Amino acid sequence: MKKLLVTGSAGLIGSEVVSHFAHRGWKVVGIDNNMRADFFGEGGDTQWNAKRLVTKYKNYQHFNIDIRNRGDLEQFIGDQRPDAIVHTAAQPSHDLAASRPYDDFDVNAVGTMNLLEATRKYSTQIPFVHMSTNKVYGDAPNNLSLVELETRWDYGDKEYFNGIKENFTIDQSKHSIFGASKVAADVMVQEYGRYFDMPTCCLRGGCLTGPNHSGVELHGFLSYLIKCNIIGNQYTIFGYKGKQVRDNIHSHDVSTFIECFLENPKKGEVYNIGGGRENSVSILEAFTLIESISGKAMNYVYSSQNRSGDHICYISDLSKMKSHYPTWSITRDLKTTFQEIYDSWQERLKQRVR
């Protein structure tokens, strides 16, 4: 039985990876110290998800370990002897990073460095998958030629119709403090792959989403938007007329790509992982879609001040992923993803009432 180590195992992607590989007969060990609750309060608490995984999968073990503690990590990885590592733990918010820059950098950059070095000391042969972010490109995508349509912004240059490729510049742009800490982690993961000849990859995610997301205003676009619609809370649009575009990928499709990489790992690779053009949506378009599912009008207010460093239009070009791993594809379309998130929030909110 192979063993997989997952960091941030109670979060959206981490828990999906746990489920995916547990179903496939791997022994899975997860580390998660519920730092999301510290960052975002009660709404970000992921203990419910950690308990769900422990209850559901007999081949899963959960450990409360802080990735900032390099001594604990080195001992843990040496003791557990995993066959692969998937690193999803992170401080994920632009806004929070600005108010807690040390915590942001210590988790995102130093925590990733701690994991890489602990892995290298144990073995340079096991695959290491790092969940990076499209924010490593900073706001440089905003400098592209953009056109304003009725419900969304879009690329004006045909070269970018399919989205942003992996060779897009990450330099000389505003990233947000969060984006900068993720750049540090991203580049270090690449460097360990190239310098130490280790099988590593960075997955530069667009909007990663799914039914197990504990979405809050500062992080978790679709999850939070859908929750607001269900309970009638007011949603705030920050700038760009609500026409800013994100491509959304279901956590299941992220997990299946990770499986492809673990089966045929490469060294120091980078992939833009998102929903692509077909799964792209603006905030206004997202309102319309969730209203058609719930039958409830969206309660929202508009603020003309956009978030600093925010993307006006971001779509991931998936061509490199598909060329390296031709058996992989997007399996969850946008409507299916919305419906799953809606159903999940309905159930979770009922349980809270009980």
Side-chain angles (χ1 to χ4, degrees):
M1 183 182 292
K2 287 187 175 182
K3 182 185 286 189
L4 178 68
L5 169 60
V6 181
T7 73
S9 55
L12 169 69
I13 300 301
S15 63
E16 187 75 45
V17 171
V18 168
S19 298
H20 184 85
F21 285 90
H23 273 303
R24 279 156 176 71
W26 285 57
K27 183 173 183 179
V28 185
V29 291
I31 61 176
D32 195 314
N33 66 340
N34 199 27
M35 193 74 181
R36 191 177 175 91
D38 179 89
F39 288 142
F40 304 119
E42 183 182 355
D45 195 310
T46 58
Q47 288 184 91
W48 67 273
N49 209 10
K51 292 174 182 176
R52 179 185 69 85
L53 294 171
V54 170
T55 301
K56 188 171 183 179
Y57 302 109
K58 293 182 179 179
N59 50 336
Y60 173 69
Q61 286 182 287
H62 186 86
F63 297 87
N64 187 346
I65 293 177
D66 191 330
I67 62 172
R68 295 173 295 181
N69 191 320
R70 63 186 58 161
D72 286 354
L73 271 181
E74 287 186 11
Q75 182 174 344
F76 184 78
I77 290 176
D79 291 343
Q80 290 292 328
R81 302 182 65 79
D83 296 292
I85 294 175
V86 177
H87 174 36
T88 76
Q91 189 298 109
S93 168
H94 285 261
D95 305 82
L96 194 70
S99 63
R100 296 175 61 174
Y102 284 124
D103 288 335
D104 174 80
F105 198 85
D106 284 344
V107 171
N108 290 347
V110 179
T112 302
M113 176 65 192
N114 291 342
L115 278 160
L116 285 166
E117 184 59 10
T119 302
R120 185 181 74 87
K121 287 182 177 179
Y122 159 61
S123 171
T124 58
Q125 303 303 308
I126 68 169
F128 185 102
V129 177
H130 170 57
M131 291 308 305
S132 186
T133 172
N134 60 16
K135 300 306 185 291
V136 299
Y137 299 115
D139 63 359
N142 292 353
N143 296 327
L144 296 174
S145 173
L146 298 172
V147 293
E148 183 180 356
L149 305 178
E150 184 178 355
T151 60
R152 63 161 58 194
W153 293 94
D154 207 340
Y155 300 124
D157 190 333
K158 290 182 180 179
E159 178 187 352
Y160 291 96
F161 179 81
N162 290 321
I164 304 295
K165 294 180 182 291
E166 289 80 358
N167 60 0
F168 196 84
T169 181
I170 67 170
D171 194 18
Q172 299 184 73
S173 60
K174 182 189 287 186
H175 295 78
S176 81
I177 300 301
F178 156 75
S181 69
K182 292 294 282 187
V183 166
D186 185 299
V187 172
M188 192 60 79
V189 171
Q190 292 183 61
E191 196 61 27
Y192 265 67
R194 293 185 173 94
Y195 193 92
F196 293 117
D197 206 30
M198 293 169 61
T200 70
C201 79
C202 298
L203 302 184
R204 294 176 174 171
C207 280
L208 313 178
T209 193
N212 295 318
H213 210 174
S214 296
V216 293
E217 184 174 35
L218 298 183
H219 180 251
F221 161 53
L222 283 188
S223 177
Y224 176 70
L225 184 151
I226 291 170
K227 180 183 178 183
C228 284
N229 177 264
I230 292 171
I231 64 180
N233 277 10
Q234 189 176 75
Y235 183 94
T236 302
I237 298 173
F238 292 99
Y240 302 129
K241 304 180 184 179
K243 297 182 180 182
Q244 53 267 62
V245 171
R246 302 288 180 270
D247 68 329
N248 301 271
I249 183 169
H250 193 289
S251 50
H252 170 77
D253 290 330
V254 177
S255 296
T256 57
F257 182 80
I258 289 172
E259 183 177 21
C260 288
F261 182 83
L262 296 188
E263 290 175 350
N264 182 23
K266 304 180 187 303
K267 295 174 181 179
E269 266 298 358
V270 171
Y271 300 102
N272 286 348
I273 186 167
R277 176 165 286 276
E278 290 184 1
N279 274 13
S280 68
V281 68
S282 72
I283 292 177
L284 295 180
E285 291 165 351
F287 286 172
T288 300
L289 183 49
I290 189 54
E291 288 171 346
S292 72
I293 292 171
S294 70
K296 296 176 64 175
M298 199 75 198
N299 175 18
Y300 70 93
V301 63
Y302 181 75
S303 169
S304 59
Q305 181 59 54
N306 62 279
R307 285 181 165 138
S308 183
D310 201 14
H311 291 150
I312 301 173
C313 179
Y314 189 91
I315 297 173
S316 306
D317 188 319
L318 306 179
S319 58
K320 181 180 178 182
M321 295 175 64
K322 291 180 176 180
S323 67
H324 284 200
Y325 299 96
T327 61
W328 178 84
S329 64
I330 296 289
T331 65
R332 302 289 201 276
D333 64 18
L334 208 55
K335 187 172 183 179
T336 299
T337 300
F338 268 67
Q339 186 69 57
E340 286 189 19
I341 298 171
Y342 174 79
D343 292 342
S344 177
W345 270 121
Q346 291 277 52
E347 183 59 32
R348 274 190 272 170
L349 291 168
K350 283 180 187 176
Q351 290 178 1
R352 288 181 188 178
V353 172
R354 292 172 195 164

